[in-house]
Amino acid sequence: MLLLTKRLELSPLTQADKLWIVEMHQDPLWKQFIGYRGVASVEDAADYIGRVNAQVSEWGYGLLAIRNKKTNAPYGVCGLINRYVFSCPDLGFALLPSARKQGIALEATKAVIDWVEMEEDMHFITASTHPENARSQHLLHGGSTVTFLMIIGSIGTLLVFSISEYSVSTSDIASTISSPSTIMPKTA
């Protein structure tokens, strides 16, 4: 899977990305808004990259590395994730500190949403964010048709945004909360 924009390339993570993956996972904003994901060392990053790429192989989508198209410098990750609490893919993104406040997250998420809109079998995705993550909420409110719902449950409090080519209601979003067995991979 390869997505290109004017400035960016979104492509699968490689084992050469281990160092910046550790850096991103240790960033205070990652810890505050995403939480610990078991990546504290280069070895942990190698495992994480393997898990992420396995999802890309299995589902046809997953988190992708965001890179500068000209220099190949890493900026972060963006893509679709099966969070196993929704019956549709969830848009996820995170940037390295040096890549923030440059429009990179907006450009990357737009590339993923544009890809979703071209897929015949995918008409509805969600994006969830921590209730205090104002920057991500601002990004998710812009550009797309979005509806959002606050969910308070055993996994904590999330704001869940729907991103759809159709108008949806908060009950439509709530109906996406499901077990992993209802999440179906895209067939080729």
Side-chain angles (χ1 to χ4, degrees):
M1 184 175 187
L2 176 68
L3 304 176
L4 300 172
T5 71
K6 183 176 180 178
R7 299 181 297 165
L8 307 175
E9 173 186 297
L10 283 75
S11 58
L13 292 163
T14 70
Q15 291 299 318
D17 296 323
K18 291 182 284 198
L19 291 176
W20 69 261
I21 289 294
V22 172
E23 177 187 349
M24 187 174 64
H25 280 251
Q26 297 306 307
D27 176 61
L29 289 180
W30 175 286
K31 289 179 177 182
Q32 179 182 2
F33 295 131
I34 297 172
Y36 182 68
R37 295 290 185 259
V39 178
S41 69
V42 173
E43 293 80 18
D44 296 338
D47 291 341
Y48 174 84
I49 290 166
R51 290 191 312 269
V52 166
N53 287 339
Q55 188 179 65
V56 173
S57 295
E58 181 179 354
W59 298 95
Y61 55 80
L63 282 179
L64 302 171
I66 306 169
R67 302 179 199 288
N68 180 300
K69 197 156 106 176
K70 292 181 182 175
T71 67
N72 207 35
Y75 290 144
V77 293
C78 183
L80 299 175
I81 306 162
N82 284 327
R83 296 209 191 268
Y84 300 108
V85 294
F86 302 113
S87 61
C88 59
D90 195 61
L91 178 67
F93 54 93
L95 295 179
L96 291 163
S98 61
R100 295 181 187 139
K101 298 182 180 179
Q102 300 173 47
I104 292 167
L106 180 62
E107 191 172 331
T109 57
K110 184 171 178 355
V112 172
I113 292 168
D114 288 349
W115 177 82
V116 167
E117 289 174 351
M118 292 187 327
E119 291 296 301
E120 292 180 15
D121 297 335
M122 203 179 302
H123 303 286
F124 187 87
I125 63 173
T126 59
S128 50
T129 182
H130 188 284
E132 295 175 12
N133 191 341
R135 286 184 188 158
S136 290
Q137 291 167 36
H138 179 75
L139 183 145
L140 292 170
H141 273 294
S144 296
T145 303
V146 297
T147 305
F148 75 95
L149 169 70
M150 182 177 288
I151 298 175
I152 302 171
S154 62
I155 60 171
T157 302
L158 291 175
L159 292 181
V160 181
F161 294 76
S162 72
I163 301 169
S164 172
E165 61 186 286
Y166 310 108
S167 177
V168 296
S169 68
T170 55
S171 62
D172 293 329
I173 300 170
S175 71
T176 68
I177 300 170
S178 66
S179 68
S181 63
T182 64
I183 300 174
M184 300 299 295
K186 182 179 172 335
T187 54

